[in-house]
Amino acid sequence: EAGFPGKLGLLKNCKDAEGHVYGAQESFEVEAARGASLWLYRLSLLLLAPLLVVTVAAGWGIVIVLVLGVIVAAACWTLAAVAFPLRLRGWLEGLVARNDRNFENRVGRWLYWLSYVITWPFIVSQSLLLRCLVFSRMRRELTAFLVSRAVLSGAGSVEADGRFVLSEKGASIRRVSRRSISPNDRAIFDVGNLMKPAHSAVHFYVRPFLGLFHRKQRLQLGLADSNVLDEAEFLKMGTTALVVDMVEAGRLKNVPRVRRPVRALHAIVSDPGLSVKVPTTRGEMSALEIQRSCLEEAKSFVRESKPTSLEARTVVRLWEDVLSALEKGEQDRLVGRIDWVTKRYLLEACGGPGTDRRLKTIDLRYHEIGDGYAARLVSSGHARKLISEEEVEHATTEPPMGTPAFARGRFIRERRTSLVPVRVAWDAARIGGRLHGKIVRFPGANG
């Protein structure tokens, strides 16, 4: 209808042609803290409660001022319309007829920064609390694995200067743990989900704040690429879930820890040759050496743990196979299995690294769903599929038992013909209006 002669494509990736970063995150339910640290964390939250009340009061005070300002502006507008009807009408028509959205964008930015200023005291205090007491063991023992994980799960990317890097999001990471609610504050451990209760409380929705007292919270990882090949996705999620279990079981203490993690991450993702070494508690080590250390601990954990699942054994087997191929320089064996290796192979077949815009087009088309280059590799049998179409179809309608998705899906199906207004959110649903409605909580939707 707009006269555009091309077609629209949907991409599963984390970085566009202009360098904007977005996309994948991973979430795992883990212990926020334990023992004395847990109780100290809860006590600190109680001490922060008065500051949250002040934040709410300040927020609504500003809202009242804005409402009064709108009323005064409306009154002045009415007087101006009576005094200068033609001139005012022309100005109004010009404002409405504009094709650009500069005015709306400025208002949106102003409201965002106003919200940021209102919640800043609570957010700063809470971020300090989170860094000191929450997920401390996870950050300490999991960071080395995550920093080096791009050799398995990186999607690969062509930078503006033509360089090929292992990860779309790796170079944009700025710190180990998030310190603010700014979208540019990208971190390996993204605790933004634990900071959002400040915004909810401004609207008198205090249940998210009460949820922060739970022993288990959602560990959210900001360092994650969007994989399109089955084996790369399986390895990303499978190895990370296994290593998280190992941390909680106290079985990852012998793995080396990376010094200056963010700097090490940038060095690793910038080296597709996999030869760069970064400082660790065991001296200089490459990403492959760090991953090998994690793998050996995982093999021992799976072998000695009685309730280990078949999926965990499959993860360890594939992990070792891919890591061995990378260590031996047999990357051709991983084409169609690991995303960054496959994308690099396609780029080199089309001329190799460079600033040619066509290479970035190949980079992006690789991720296109349905007709992208990765999808073509799968349909032609050159990329391995781990999940059948029947399993995919089943998963879209039958979520795992006991999960929030199961309860949410069943709730929606049962009320799809309801004449009463229903609003469904992540952890709850409201049947009816705000004053006389009923709240239904979904089990397990924490964080």
Side-chain angles (χ1 to χ4, degrees):
E1 291 180 354
F4 180 68
K7 66 174 185 177
L8 297 178
L10 182 62
L11 277 66
K12 183 191 178 192
N13 74 333
C14 293
K15 193 173 186 178
D16 66 13
E18 303 300 326
H20 303 116
V21 177
Y22 45 84
Q25 289 182 330
E26 298 161 65
S27 295
F28 300 87
E29 189 178 57
V30 302
E31 288 183 328
R34 60 172 56 176
S37 296
L38 176 61
W39 289 105
L40 182 59
Y41 165 64
R42 289 170 172 170
L43 177 61
S44 300
L45 284 176
L46 288 175
L47 296 177
L48 280 178
L51 182 59
L52 185 61
V53 172
V54 173
T55 299
V56 172
W60 280 98
I62 292 177
V63 167
I64 292 173
V65 171
L66 289 176
V67 170
L68 293 176
V70 169
I71 295 174
V72 172
C76 294
W77 180 277
T78 303
L79 294 175
V82 173
F84 310 101
L86 295 178
R87 184 180 302 177
L88 191 61
R89 179 179 177 182
W91 179 84
L92 181 60
E93 289 177 348
L95 180 66
V96 175
R98 287 186 316 163
N99 291 324
D100 65 90
R101 291 292 181 266
N102 292 332
F103 176 74
E104 294 87 339
N105 291 339
R106 284 196 297 270
V107 172
R109 284 194 294 269
W110 186 82
L111 291 175
Y112 169 79
W113 284 111
L114 177 62
S115 172
Y116 188 86
V117 169
I118 292 172
T119 58
W120 183 83
F122 180 79
I123 292 296
V124 169
S125 303
Q126 190 192 20
S127 66
L128 179 62
L129 173 63
L130 294 174
R131 290 203 305 275
C132 293
L133 297 174
V134 177
F135 302 139
S136 56
R137 186 171 59 158
M138 281 290 168
R139 291 197 303 271
R140 184 170 60 250
E141 299 180 14
L142 191 61
T143 299
F145 166 78
L146 294 175
V147 164
S148 59
R149 186 181 63 162
V151 300
L152 301 176
S153 63
S157 180
V158 176
E159 298 293 272
D161 58 5
R163 292 182 302 114
F164 181 81
V165 295
L166 299 182
S167 169
E168 291 184 309
K169 294 180 75 174
S172 69
I173 297 297
R174 293 291 173 259
R175 60 185 84 256
V176 174
S177 185
R178 179 188 279 267
R179 296 181 182 177
S180 73
I181 58 174
S182 169
N184 294 322
D185 191 19
R186 299 189 180 93
I188 298 175
F189 297 93
D190 190 344
V191 293
N193 60 300
L194 301 182
M195 295 179 174
K196 290 179 182 178
H199 284 276
S200 300
V202 170
H203 300 283
F204 298 109
Y205 185 34
V206 298
R207 186 171 180 270
F209 179 74
L210 298 178
L212 295 176
F213 289 82
H214 296 162
R215 181 174 61 87
K216 288 200 169 185
Q217 296 291 339
R218 178 159 57 95
L219 174 67
Q220 189 168 276
L221 303 180
L223 175 58
D225 282 0
S226 289
N227 297 106
V228 289
L229 296 177
D230 280 12
E231 191 165 340
E233 180 78 0
F234 180 73
L235 272 175
K236 177 181 71 175
M237 300 303 300
T239 56
T240 308
L242 180 58
V243 172
V244 166
D245 287 344
M246 293 168 63
V247 172
E248 290 201 309
R251 295 293 299 273
L252 207 66
K253 296 179 180 179
N254 295 327
V255 171
R257 298 175 189 170
V258 174
R259 304 185 188 279
R260 297 187 292 277
V262 175
R263 185 181 301 179
L265 170 65
H266 292 170
I268 288 172
V269 301
S270 299
D271 177 39
L274 308 182
S275 60
V276 70
K277 296 196 173 186
V278 297
T280 73
T281 51
R282 295 185 187 174
E284 299 281 323
M285 296 180 70
S286 68
L288 292 177
E289 290 171 335
I290 297 172
Q291 282 291 308
R292 174 60 66 176
S293 177
C294 295
L295 172 60
E296 294 304 320
E297 290 293 327
K299 288 165 63 176
S300 175
F301 177 73
V302 170
R303 185 172 55 250
E304 297 172 8
S305 300
K306 293 181 180 180
T308 304
S309 65
L310 293 176
E311 287 84 357
R313 297 182 185 278
T314 303
V315 165
V316 169
R317 177 175 57 79
L318 289 177
W319 191 356
E320 181 156 36
D321 183 43
V322 170
L323 203 56
S324 297
L326 292 172
E327 290 168 339
K328 296 175 183 177
E330 300 174 353
Q331 294 191 6
D332 289 349
R333 191 157 61 85
L334 301 178
V335 174
R337 300 173 62 189
I338 301 301
D339 280 305
W340 75 266
V341 175
T342 306
K343 184 185 290 186
R344 190 184 185 200
Y345 173 83
L346 294 176
L347 290 168
E348 290 179 346
C350 296
T355 56
D356 193 329
R357 295 290 292 180
R358 289 176 297 177
L359 297 179
K360 189 61 184 179
T361 301
I362 295 171
D363 180 353
L364 296 175
R365 282 296 307 276
Y366 177 85
H367 295 271
E368 189 171 338
I369 295 175
D371 194 39
Y373 297 137
R376 294 184 189 182
L377 289 173
V378 173
S379 62
S380 63
H382 291 90
R384 184 181 179 189
K385 280 188 68 66
L386 300 182
I387 306 297
S388 67
E389 293 300 326
E390 292 75 17
E391 290 175 302
V392 172
E393 183 64 27
H394 177 78
T396 60
T397 57
E398 302 294 334
M401 293 284 291
T403 63
F406 179 84
R408 209 167 31 243
R410 184 177 61 183
F411 178 88
I412 292 172
R413 284 195 298 270
E414 291 175 350
R415 288 164 178 81
R416 64 181 180 272
T417 59
S418 174
L419 299 178
V420 180
V422 178
R423 295 174 60 89
V424 181
W426 169 254
D427 59 350
R430 180 189 297 276
I431 305 173
R434 284 188 172 273
L435 296 179
H436 304 288
K438 177 183 178 183
I439 301 294
V440 177
R441 306 291 181 189
F442 299 139
N446 186 31

